[in-house]
Amino acid sequence: SWWLKPSIWGTTGMYMGIWNPQNKQWFQNRLKEIKAGSTGLMKMREWRYMLGQYRPCGKLAKIVNAMSSEIIDKNLL
């Protein structure tokens, strides 16, 4: 595919709960490469390999979200 499905994008470490400047830059670079013909369709395993470097970021985001929720529940609710 040219792009990841939203359901898959949400499981990558690149997605931290919001669309951030790094996501925008990645999207713009990918679009530029597609228009220039320097990249093409990718198989799911290729996507996984390419985005695998971001996996630790996703784990960190989950930990931060869980701890933030716990702090809010204990102190503000």
Side-chain angles (χ1 to χ4, degrees), residues 4-70:
L4 280 171
K5 294 179 182 178
S7 60
I8 303 297
W9 173 258
T11 65
T12 69
M14 285 185 67
Y15 182 70
M16 306 290 272
I18 60 168
W19 186 258
N20 60 44
Q22 290 79 16
N23 299 143
K24 181 179 179 180
Q25 185 64 49
W26 177 86
F27 177 86
Q28 289 175 338
N29 288 341
R30 173 82 177 148
L31 184 58
K32 187 189 314 182
E33 291 171 354
I34 291 169
K35 287 180 176 181
S38 61
T39 193
L41 297 171
M42 293 175 60
K43 295 179 181 178
M44 187 55 63
R45 65 176 157 68
E46 294 171 312
W47 281 110
R48 284 191 184 115
Y49 177 78
M50 183 181 76
L51 297 174
Q53 63 184 325
Y54 299 101
R55 199 167 288 125
C57 299
K59 291 178 182 178
L60 176 62
K62 287 180 184 179
I63 292 168
V64 169
N65 285 337
M67 293 182 81
S68 298
S69 293
E70 185 178 326

Short mmCIF file of all heavy atoms in Angstrom, two decimals, residues 4-70:
data_model
loop_
_atom_site.label_atom_id
_atom_site.label_comp_id
_atom_site.label_asym_id
_atom_site.label_seq_id
_atom_site.Cartn_x
_atom_site.Cartn_y
_atom_site.Cartn_z
N LEU A 4 -0.07 3.38 5.41
CA LEU A 4 -0.56 2.43 6.41
C LEU A 4 -2.04 2.67 6.67
O LEU A 4 -2.52 3.81 6.61
CB LEU A 4 0.17 2.65 7.74
CG LEU A 4 1.54 2.04 7.86
CD1 LEU A 4 2.19 2.52 9.14
CD2 LEU A 4 1.47 0.54 7.85
N LYS A 5 -2.74 1.61 6.99
CA LYS A 5 -4.14 1.76 7.41
C LYS A 5 -4.14 2.47 8.76
O LYS A 5 -3.23 2.29 9.58
CB LYS A 5 -4.79 0.39 7.57
CG LYS A 5 -4.92 -0.37 6.28
CD LYS A 5 -5.56 -1.71 6.53
CE LYS A 5 -5.66 -2.49 5.24
NZ LYS A 5 -6.24 -3.82 5.45
N PRO A 6 -5.17 3.29 9.03
CA PRO A 6 -5.23 3.98 10.32
C PRO A 6 -5.14 3.03 11.52
O PRO A 6 -4.52 3.36 12.53
CB PRO A 6 -6.57 4.70 10.27
CG PRO A 6 -6.82 4.93 8.82
CD PRO A 6 -6.25 3.70 8.14
N SER A 7 -5.74 1.87 11.39
CA SER A 7 -5.70 0.92 12.51
C SER A 7 -4.28 0.44 12.78
O SER A 7 -3.92 0.16 13.92
CB SER A 7 -6.62 -0.26 12.22
OG SER A 7 -6.21 -0.93 11.04
N ILE A 8 -3.46 0.35 11.76
CA ILE A 8 -2.07 -0.06 11.93
C ILE A 8 -1.22 1.12 12.40
O ILE A 8 -0.37 0.99 13.28
CB ILE A 8 -1.49 -0.64 10.61
CG1 ILE A 8 -2.32 -1.81 10.12
CG2 ILE A 8 -0.03 -1.02 10.78
CD1 ILE A 8 -2.36 -2.99 11.04
N TRP A 9 -1.45 2.29 11.82
CA TRP A 9 -0.72 3.49 12.21
C TRP A 9 -0.82 3.71 13.72
O TRP A 9 0.16 4.04 14.39
CB TRP A 9 -1.26 4.71 11.47
CG TRP A 9 -0.69 6.01 11.92
CD1 TRP A 9 -1.29 6.93 12.72
CD2 TRP A 9 0.60 6.53 11.60
NE1 TRP A 9 -0.46 8.00 12.92
CE2 TRP A 9 0.72 7.78 12.25
CE3 TRP A 9 1.66 6.08 10.84
CZ2 TRP A 9 1.85 8.57 12.15
CZ3 TRP A 9 2.80 6.87 10.75
CH2 TRP A 9 2.88 8.10 11.40
N GLY A 10 -2.01 3.49 14.27
CA GLY A 10 -2.23 3.69 15.70
C GLY A 10 -1.44 2.75 16.58
O GLY A 10 -1.28 3.01 17.77
N THR A 11 -0.92 1.67 16.01
CA THR A 11 -0.15 0.72 16.81
C THR A 11 1.36 0.92 16.67
O THR A 11 2.13 0.24 17.33
CB THR A 11 -0.49 -0.74 16.42
OG1 THR A 11 -0.08 -0.97 15.07
CG2 THR A 11 -1.97 -1.01 16.57
N THR A 12 1.76 1.84 15.82
CA THR A 12 3.20 2.08 15.65
C THR A 12 3.70 3.02 16.73
O THR A 12 2.92 3.76 17.34
CB THR A 12 3.52 2.72 14.28
OG1 THR A 12 3.02 4.06 14.26
CG2 THR A 12 2.95 1.91 13.13
N GLY A 13 4.97 3.02 16.96
CA GLY A 13 5.54 3.92 17.94
C GLY A 13 5.57 5.36 17.48
O GLY A 13 5.82 6.25 18.28
N MET A 14 5.31 5.59 16.20
CA MET A 14 5.29 6.97 15.70
C MET A 14 4.07 7.71 16.20
O MET A 14 4.11 8.93 16.35
CB MET A 14 5.31 6.99 14.17
CG MET A 14 6.65 6.66 13.59
SD MET A 14 6.67 6.85 11.79
CE MET A 14 6.49 8.61 11.59
N TYR A 15 3.00 7.00 16.42
CA TYR A 15 1.76 7.65 16.86
C TYR A 15 1.75 7.69 18.38
O TYR A 15 1.72 6.67 19.04
CB TYR A 15 0.55 6.91 16.33
CG TYR A 15 -0.75 7.58 16.72
CD1 TYR A 15 -1.10 8.79 16.17
CD2 TYR A 15 -1.59 7.01 17.65
CE1 TYR A 15 -2.27 9.43 16.53
CE2 TYR A 15 -2.76 7.63 18.02
CZ TYR A 15 -3.10 8.84 17.47
OH TYR A 15 -4.25 9.46 17.83
N MET A 16 1.80 8.88 18.95
CA MET A 16 1.86 9.05 20.39
C MET A 16 0.55 9.58 20.97
O MET A 16 0.53 10.20 22.01
CB MET A 16 3.00 10.01 20.74
CG MET A 16 4.34 9.59 20.17
SD MET A 16 5.03 8.14 20.94
CE MET A 16 5.90 8.88 22.28
N GLY A 17 -0.53 9.36 20.27
CA GLY A 17 -1.82 9.82 20.74
C GLY A 17 -2.31 11.09 20.05
O GLY A 17 -3.48 11.42 20.12
N ILE A 18 -1.38 11.81 19.45
CA ILE A 18 -1.72 13.03 18.70
C ILE A 18 -0.88 13.06 17.44
O ILE A 18 0.16 12.41 17.35
CB ILE A 18 -1.49 14.32 19.52
CG1 ILE A 18 -0.01 14.43 19.92
CG2 ILE A 18 -2.39 14.39 20.73
CD1 ILE A 18 0.38 15.78 20.47
N TRP A 19 -1.31 13.83 16.47
CA TRP A 19 -0.54 14.05 15.24
C TRP A 19 0.47 15.14 15.57
O TRP A 19 0.12 16.29 15.82
CB TRP A 19 -1.49 14.48 14.13
CG TRP A 19 -0.85 14.60 12.79
CD1 TRP A 19 -0.49 15.76 12.18
CD2 TRP A 19 -0.49 13.56 11.88
NE1 TRP A 19 0.07 15.50 10.96
CE2 TRP A 19 0.08 14.15 10.74
CE3 TRP A 19 -0.59 12.17 11.92
CZ2 TRP A 19 0.53 13.42 9.65
CZ3 TRP A 19 -0.15 11.44 10.84
CH2 TRP A 19 0.40 12.06 9.73
N ASN A 20 1.74 14.80 15.61
CA ASN A 20 2.76 15.75 16.04
C ASN A 20 3.62 16.22 14.86
O ASN A 20 3.47 15.72 13.74
CB ASN A 20 3.61 15.14 17.16
CG ASN A 20 4.32 13.87 16.71
OD1 ASN A 20 4.88 13.81 15.63
ND2 ASN A 20 4.29 12.85 17.55
N PRO A 21 4.52 17.17 15.09
CA PRO A 21 5.35 17.68 13.99
C PRO A 21 6.20 16.59 13.30
O PRO A 21 6.41 16.66 12.09
CB PRO A 21 6.25 18.72 14.67
CG PRO A 21 5.46 19.19 15.84
CD PRO A 21 4.72 17.97 16.32
N GLN A 22 6.65 15.60 14.06
CA GLN A 22 7.43 14.52 13.46
C GLN A 22 6.56 13.68 12.51
O GLN A 22 7.03 13.25 11.45
CB GLN A 22 8.04 13.62 14.53
CG GLN A 22 9.14 14.29 15.33
CD GLN A 22 8.62 15.23 16.42
OE1 GLN A 22 7.45 15.20 16.81
NE2 GLN A 22 9.50 16.09 16.93
N ASN A 23 5.31 13.46 12.89
CA ASN A 23 4.39 12.73 12.02
C ASN A 23 4.16 13.51 10.73
O ASN A 23 4.15 12.94 9.64
CB ASN A 23 3.04 12.48 12.70
CG ASN A 23 3.14 11.64 13.94
OD1 ASN A 23 2.43 11.88 14.90
ND2 ASN A 23 4.00 10.64 13.96
N LYS A 24 3.97 14.81 10.87
CA LYS A 24 3.75 15.66 9.69
C LYS A 24 4.96 15.61 8.77
O LYS A 24 4.80 15.47 7.55
CB LYS A 24 3.47 17.10 10.13
CG LYS A 24 3.21 18.04 8.99
CD LYS A 24 2.91 19.44 9.49
CE LYS A 24 2.68 20.38 8.33
NZ LYS A 24 2.38 21.75 8.78
N GLN A 25 6.15 15.70 9.33
CA GLN A 25 7.37 15.66 8.52
C GLN A 25 7.50 14.32 7.81
O GLN A 25 7.84 14.26 6.63
CB GLN A 25 8.59 15.93 9.39
CG GLN A 25 9.88 16.02 8.60
CD GLN A 25 9.88 17.18 7.64
OE1 GLN A 25 9.56 18.31 8.01
NE2 GLN A 25 10.24 16.94 6.40
N TRP A 26 7.24 13.24 8.53
CA TRP A 26 7.31 11.91 7.93
C TRP A 26 6.32 11.80 6.76
O TRP A 26 6.66 11.31 5.68
CB TRP A 26 7.00 10.82 8.97
CG TRP A 26 6.98 9.46 8.37
CD1 TRP A 26 8.05 8.64 8.19
CD2 TRP A 26 5.84 8.76 7.85
NE1 TRP A 26 7.65 7.47 7.58
CE2 TRP A 26 6.29 7.52 7.37
CE3 TRP A 26 4.49 9.07 7.75
CZ2 TRP A 26 5.44 6.60 6.79
CZ3 TRP A 26 3.65 8.13 7.18
CH2 TRP A 26 4.13 6.91 6.70
N PHE A 27 5.09 12.27 6.98
CA PHE A 27 4.07 12.23 5.94
C PHE A 27 4.50 13.03 4.71
O PHE A 27 4.39 12.57 3.58
CB PHE A 27 2.74 12.77 6.50
CG PHE A 27 1.65 12.84 5.46
CD1 PHE A 27 0.86 11.74 5.21
CD2 PHE A 27 1.42 14.01 4.74
CE1 PHE A 27 -0.14 11.79 4.26
CE2 PHE A 27 0.42 14.07 3.79
CZ PHE A 27 -0.36 12.95 3.55
N GLN A 28 5.00 14.24 4.93
CA GLN A 28 5.42 15.09 3.82
C GLN A 28 6.59 14.47 3.05
O GLN A 28 6.63 14.53 1.83
CB GLN A 28 5.77 16.49 4.32
CG GLN A 28 4.55 17.26 4.76
CD GLN A 28 4.87 18.60 5.38
OE1 GLN A 28 5.98 18.83 5.88
NE2 GLN A 28 3.90 19.50 5.37
N ASN A 29 7.54 13.87 3.77
CA ASN A 29 8.65 13.20 3.10
C ASN A 29 8.17 12.00 2.28
O ASN A 29 8.61 11.81 1.14
CB ASN A 29 9.69 12.73 4.12
CG ASN A 29 10.48 13.87 4.71
OD1 ASN A 29 10.52 14.97 4.16
ND2 ASN A 29 11.09 13.62 5.84
N ARG A 30 7.28 11.22 2.84
CA ARG A 30 6.74 10.06 2.12
C ARG A 30 6.00 10.52 0.86
O ARG A 30 6.17 9.96 -0.22
CB ARG A 30 5.80 9.26 3.04
CG ARG A 30 5.05 8.14 2.38
CD ARG A 30 5.86 6.89 2.24
NE ARG A 30 5.03 5.84 1.66
CZ ARG A 30 5.49 4.90 0.88
NH1 ARG A 30 6.77 4.82 0.61
NH2 ARG A 30 4.69 3.99 0.37
N LEU A 31 5.19 11.55 0.98
CA LEU A 31 4.44 12.08 -0.17
C LEU A 31 5.40 12.58 -1.25
O LEU A 31 5.20 12.31 -2.43
CB LEU A 31 3.50 13.20 0.29
CG LEU A 31 2.58 13.78 -0.77
CD1 LEU A 31 1.69 12.71 -1.39
CD2 LEU A 31 1.74 14.90 -0.16
N LYS A 32 6.45 13.30 -0.84
CA LYS A 32 7.44 13.80 -1.80
C LYS A 32 8.11 12.64 -2.54
O LYS A 32 8.29 12.70 -3.76
CB LYS A 32 8.49 14.63 -1.07
CG LYS A 32 9.46 15.33 -2.01
CD LYS A 32 10.65 16.00 -1.33
CE LYS A 32 10.31 16.81 -0.13
NZ LYS A 32 11.49 17.47 0.47
N GLU A 33 8.46 11.57 -1.81
CA GLU A 33 9.08 10.41 -2.43
C GLU A 33 8.14 9.72 -3.42
O GLU A 33 8.56 9.28 -4.49
CB GLU A 33 9.54 9.42 -1.37
CG GLU A 33 10.70 9.92 -0.54
CD GLU A 33 11.03 9.02 0.64
OE1 GLU A 33 10.28 8.05 0.90
OE2 GLU A 33 12.03 9.30 1.32
N ILE A 34 6.87 9.63 -3.06
CA ILE A 34 5.87 9.02 -3.95
C ILE A 34 5.76 9.83 -5.24
O ILE A 34 5.80 9.30 -6.34
CB ILE A 34 4.50 8.89 -3.26
CG1 ILE A 34 4.56 7.84 -2.15
CG2 ILE A 34 3.40 8.54 -4.26
CD1 ILE A 34 3.35 7.82 -1.24
N LYS A 35 5.63 11.16 -5.10
CA LYS A 35 5.50 12.03 -6.27
C LYS A 35 6.74 11.99 -7.15
O LYS A 35 6.63 12.09 -8.37
CB LYS A 35 5.21 13.46 -5.82
CG LYS A 35 3.81 13.66 -5.29
CD LYS A 35 3.59 15.10 -4.87
CE LYS A 35 2.17 15.34 -4.42
NZ LYS A 35 1.94 16.74 -4.04
N ALA A 36 7.91 11.85 -6.54
CA ALA A 36 9.17 11.81 -7.30
C ALA A 36 9.41 10.45 -7.93
O ALA A 36 10.31 10.30 -8.76
CB ALA A 36 10.33 12.17 -6.38
N GLY A 37 8.62 9.46 -7.52
CA GLY A 37 8.80 8.11 -8.06
C GLY A 37 9.96 7.36 -7.43
O GLY A 37 10.38 6.32 -7.93
N SER A 38 10.48 7.88 -6.31
CA SER A 38 11.61 7.22 -5.66
C SER A 38 11.20 6.16 -4.65
O SER A 38 12.05 5.52 -4.04
CB SER A 38 12.51 8.26 -4.99
OG SER A 38 11.80 8.98 -4.00
N THR A 39 9.90 5.99 -4.45
CA THR A 39 9.38 4.93 -3.60
C THR A 39 8.08 4.42 -4.21
O THR A 39 7.51 5.07 -5.10
CB THR A 39 9.17 5.41 -2.15
OG1 THR A 39 8.95 4.27 -1.31
CG2 THR A 39 7.98 6.35 -2.03
N GLY A 40 7.65 3.31 -3.76
CA GLY A 40 6.43 2.75 -4.32
C GLY A 40 5.58 2.08 -3.25
O GLY A 40 5.71 2.36 -2.07
N LEU A 41 4.73 1.20 -3.71
CA LEU A 41 3.88 0.45 -2.79
C LEU A 41 4.74 -0.39 -1.87
O LEU A 41 5.80 -0.88 -2.26
CB LEU A 41 2.93 -0.45 -3.58
CG LEU A 41 1.93 0.26 -4.48
CD1 LEU A 41 1.22 -0.75 -5.36
CD2 LEU A 41 0.94 1.04 -3.67
N MET A 42 4.29 -0.55 -0.64
CA MET A 42 5.03 -1.35 0.33
C MET A 42 4.13 -2.46 0.87
O MET A 42 2.94 -2.25 1.09
CB MET A 42 5.53 -0.48 1.48
CG MET A 42 6.57 0.52 1.04
SD MET A 42 7.09 1.67 2.33
CE MET A 42 7.75 0.59 3.56
N LYS A 43 4.73 -3.61 1.11
CA LYS A 43 4.02 -4.72 1.73
C LYS A 43 4.02 -4.50 3.24
O LYS A 43 4.84 -3.75 3.77
CB LYS A 43 4.71 -6.04 1.39
CG LYS A 43 4.66 -6.35 -0.08
CD LYS A 43 5.38 -7.64 -0.36
CE LYS A 43 5.34 -7.91 -1.87
NZ LYS A 43 6.07 -9.11 -2.23
N MET A 44 3.11 -5.19 3.93
CA MET A 44 2.98 -5.00 5.37
C MET A 44 4.31 -5.28 6.09
O MET A 44 4.69 -4.56 7.00
CB MET A 44 1.87 -5.89 5.93
CG MET A 44 1.57 -5.63 7.38
SD MET A 44 1.17 -3.91 7.80
CE MET A 44 -0.31 -3.66 6.86
N ARG A 45 5.02 -6.30 5.67
CA ARG A 45 6.30 -6.60 6.34
C ARG A 45 7.32 -5.48 6.13
O ARG A 45 8.14 -5.20 7.01
CB ARG A 45 6.85 -7.96 5.93
CG ARG A 45 7.25 -8.10 4.50
CD ARG A 45 7.87 -9.50 4.27
NE ARG A 45 7.83 -9.94 2.91
CZ ARG A 45 8.50 -9.41 1.90
NH1 ARG A 45 9.26 -8.39 2.11
NH2 ARG A 45 8.42 -9.89 0.68
N GLU A 46 7.25 -4.81 4.98
CA GLU A 46 8.15 -3.68 4.73
C GLU A 46 7.81 -2.50 5.64
O GLU A 46 8.69 -1.83 6.17
CB GLU A 46 8.08 -3.26 3.26
CG GLU A 46 8.62 -4.31 2.32
CD GLU A 46 8.36 -3.98 0.86
OE1 GLU A 46 7.21 -3.63 0.51
OE2 GLU A 46 9.32 -4.09 0.07
N TRP A 47 6.51 -2.28 5.82
CA TRP A 47 6.06 -1.22 6.73
C TRP A 47 6.54 -1.53 8.15
O TRP A 47 7.04 -0.66 8.85
CB TRP A 47 4.54 -1.09 6.73
CG TRP A 47 4.00 -0.33 5.57
CD1 TRP A 47 3.27 -0.84 4.52
CD2 TRP A 47 4.11 1.07 5.32
NE1 TRP A 47 2.93 0.17 3.66
CE2 TRP A 47 3.43 1.35 4.12
CE3 TRP A 47 4.71 2.11 6.00
CZ2 TRP A 47 3.35 2.63 3.59
CZ3 TRP A 47 4.63 3.39 5.48
CH2 TRP A 47 3.96 3.64 4.29
N ARG A 48 6.34 -2.78 8.57
CA ARG A 48 6.74 -3.16 9.93
C ARG A 48 8.24 -2.96 10.13
O ARG A 48 8.68 -2.49 11.17
CB ARG A 48 6.36 -4.62 10.20
CG ARG A 48 4.90 -4.79 10.47
CD ARG A 48 4.61 -6.19 11.00
NE ARG A 48 3.19 -6.37 11.15
CZ ARG A 48 2.46 -7.23 10.47
NH1 ARG A 48 3.03 -8.05 9.60
NH2 ARG A 48 1.17 -7.33 10.66
N TYR A 49 9.03 -3.36 9.13
CA TYR A 49 10.48 -3.20 9.23
C TYR A 49 10.84 -1.71 9.32
O TYR A 49 11.64 -1.31 10.17
CB TYR A 49 11.18 -3.85 8.04
CG TYR A 49 12.67 -3.66 8.05
CD1 TYR A 49 13.48 -4.42 8.89
CD2 TYR A 49 13.27 -2.69 7.25
CE1 TYR A 49 14.85 -4.24 8.92
CE2 TYR A 49 14.65 -2.49 7.27
CZ TYR A 49 15.43 -3.26 8.11
OH TYR A 49 16.78 -3.07 8.14
N MET A 50 10.26 -0.91 8.45
CA MET A 50 10.58 0.51 8.41
C MET A 50 10.18 1.22 9.71
O MET A 50 10.92 2.06 10.23
CB MET A 50 9.88 1.19 7.24
CG MET A 50 10.24 2.67 7.10
SD MET A 50 9.42 3.50 5.75
CE MET A 50 7.80 3.73 6.42
N LEU A 51 9.03 0.87 10.25
CA LEU A 51 8.53 1.56 11.44
C LEU A 51 8.95 0.88 12.74
O LEU A 51 8.68 1.39 13.82
CB LEU A 51 7.01 1.68 11.37
CG LEU A 51 6.51 2.53 10.19
CD1 LEU A 51 5.00 2.48 10.12
CD2 LEU A 51 7.00 3.97 10.30
N GLY A 52 9.63 -0.26 12.64
CA GLY A 52 10.06 -0.98 13.83
C GLY A 52 10.96 -0.18 14.74
O GLY A 52 10.97 -0.38 15.95
N GLN A 53 11.70 0.75 14.16
CA GLN A 53 12.61 1.56 14.97
C GLN A 53 11.87 2.45 15.95
O GLN A 53 12.45 2.94 16.92
CB GLN A 53 13.48 2.42 14.05
CG GLN A 53 12.68 3.42 13.23
CD GLN A 53 13.53 4.20 12.27
OE1 GLN A 53 14.68 4.51 12.58
NE2 GLN A 53 13.00 4.50 11.10
N TYR A 54 10.58 2.68 15.71
CA TYR A 54 9.80 3.55 16.59
C TYR A 54 9.07 2.79 17.70
O TYR A 54 8.42 3.40 18.54
CB TYR A 54 8.77 4.34 15.77
CG TYR A 54 9.40 5.23 14.74
CD1 TYR A 54 9.45 4.85 13.41
CD2 TYR A 54 9.98 6.44 15.10
CE1 TYR A 54 10.06 5.67 12.44
CE2 TYR A 54 10.59 7.25 14.16
CZ TYR A 54 10.61 6.86 12.83
OH TYR A 54 11.22 7.66 11.90
N ARG A 55 9.19 1.47 17.71
CA ARG A 55 8.46 0.66 18.68
C ARG A 55 8.70 1.09 20.13
O ARG A 55 7.76 1.19 20.91
CB ARG A 55 8.80 -0.81 18.47
CG ARG A 55 7.78 -1.74 19.08
CD ARG A 55 7.96 -3.18 18.60
NE ARG A 55 7.53 -3.28 17.20
CZ ARG A 55 8.30 -3.76 16.23
NH1 ARG A 55 9.49 -4.22 16.48
NH2 ARG A 55 7.85 -3.82 15.00
N PRO A 56 9.95 1.37 20.53
CA PRO A 56 10.16 1.81 21.92
C PRO A 56 9.40 3.08 22.28
O PRO A 56 8.97 3.25 23.42
CB PRO A 56 11.68 2.04 22.00
CG PRO A 56 12.24 1.15 20.94
CD PRO A 56 11.22 1.18 19.83
N CYS A 57 9.20 3.96 21.31
CA CYS A 57 8.45 5.20 21.57
C CYS A 57 7.00 4.89 21.94
O CYS A 57 6.42 5.52 22.82
CB CYS A 57 8.48 6.11 20.35
SG CYS A 57 10.13 6.64 19.87
N GLY A 58 6.43 3.91 21.26
CA GLY A 58 5.05 3.52 21.56
C GLY A 58 4.93 2.94 22.95
O GLY A 58 3.97 3.22 23.68
N LYS A 59 5.92 2.15 23.36
CA LYS A 59 5.90 1.58 24.71
C LYS A 59 6.01 2.70 25.75
O LYS A 59 5.31 2.68 26.77
CB LYS A 59 7.05 0.59 24.88
CG LYS A 59 6.87 -0.68 24.08
CD LYS A 59 8.06 -1.60 24.24
CE LYS A 59 7.88 -2.85 23.40
NZ LYS A 59 9.04 -3.75 23.50
N LEU A 60 6.88 3.65 25.49
CA LEU A 60 7.03 4.78 26.41
C LEU A 60 5.74 5.57 26.52
O LEU A 60 5.32 5.95 27.61
CB LEU A 60 8.17 5.70 25.94
CG LEU A 60 8.37 6.98 26.76
CD1 LEU A 60 8.73 6.64 28.19
CD2 LEU A 60 9.45 7.84 26.11
N ALA A 61 5.07 5.81 25.39
CA ALA A 61 3.81 6.56 25.40
C ALA A 61 2.76 5.84 26.24
O ALA A 61 2.01 6.47 27.00
CB ALA A 61 3.31 6.77 23.98
N LYS A 62 2.69 4.52 26.13
CA LYS A 62 1.72 3.75 26.92
C LYS A 62 2.00 3.88 28.41
O LYS A 62 1.09 4.04 29.22
CB LYS A 62 1.73 2.29 26.50
CG LYS A 62 1.08 2.05 25.17
CD LYS A 62 1.12 0.59 24.79
CE LYS A 62 0.55 0.39 23.39
NZ LYS A 62 0.60 -1.02 22.98
N ILE A 63 3.27 3.82 28.78
CA ILE A 63 3.65 3.95 30.19
C ILE A 63 3.29 5.34 30.71
O ILE A 63 2.71 5.48 31.79
CB ILE A 63 5.15 3.66 30.38
CG1 ILE A 63 5.43 2.18 30.11
CG2 ILE A 63 5.62 4.05 31.77
CD1 ILE A 63 6.91 1.84 29.99
N VAL A 64 3.63 6.37 29.94
CA VAL A 64 3.34 7.75 30.36
C VAL A 64 1.83 7.95 30.49
O VAL A 64 1.36 8.55 31.47
CB VAL A 64 3.95 8.76 29.37
CG1 VAL A 64 3.43 10.16 29.62
CG2 VAL A 64 5.46 8.72 29.44
N ASN A 65 1.05 7.43 29.55
CA ASN A 65 -0.41 7.57 29.64
C ASN A 65 -0.97 6.87 30.86
O ASN A 65 -1.83 7.40 31.56
CB ASN A 65 -1.07 7.03 28.37
CG ASN A 65 -0.92 7.96 27.19
OD1 ASN A 65 -0.70 9.15 27.36
ND2 ASN A 65 -1.01 7.42 25.99
N ALA A 66 -0.48 5.66 31.13
CA ALA A 66 -0.97 4.91 32.29
C ALA A 66 -0.62 5.63 33.59
O ALA A 66 -1.47 5.76 34.49
CB ALA A 66 -0.39 3.50 32.28
N MET A 67 0.60 6.10 33.70
CA MET A 67 1.01 6.79 34.92
C MET A 67 0.28 8.13 35.08
O MET A 67 -0.09 8.51 36.19
CB MET A 67 2.52 6.99 34.92
CG MET A 67 3.28 5.67 35.04
SD MET A 67 5.06 5.90 35.10
CE MET A 67 5.24 6.33 36.83
N SER A 68 0.08 8.83 33.98
CA SER A 68 -0.65 10.10 34.04
C SER A 68 -2.08 9.87 34.51
O SER A 68 -2.59 10.63 35.36
CB SER A 68 -0.66 10.77 32.67
OG SER A 68 0.64 11.07 32.26
N SER A 69 -2.72 8.84 33.99
CA SER A 69 -4.09 8.53 34.40
C SER A 69 -4.15 8.20 35.88
O SER A 69 -5.06 8.62 36.59
CB SER A 69 -4.63 7.35 33.59
OG SER A 69 -4.78 7.70 32.25
N GLU A 70 -3.18 7.45 36.35
CA GLU A 70 -3.14 7.07 37.77
C GLU A 70 -2.98 8.31 38.65
O GLU A 70 -3.67 8.45 39.66
CB GLU A 70 -1.98 6.12 37.99
CG GLU A 70 -1.91 5.56 39.41
CD GLU A 70 -0.77 4.58 39.57
OE1 GLU A 70 -0.46 3.84 38.61
OE2 GLU A 70 -0.20 4.57 40.68
#
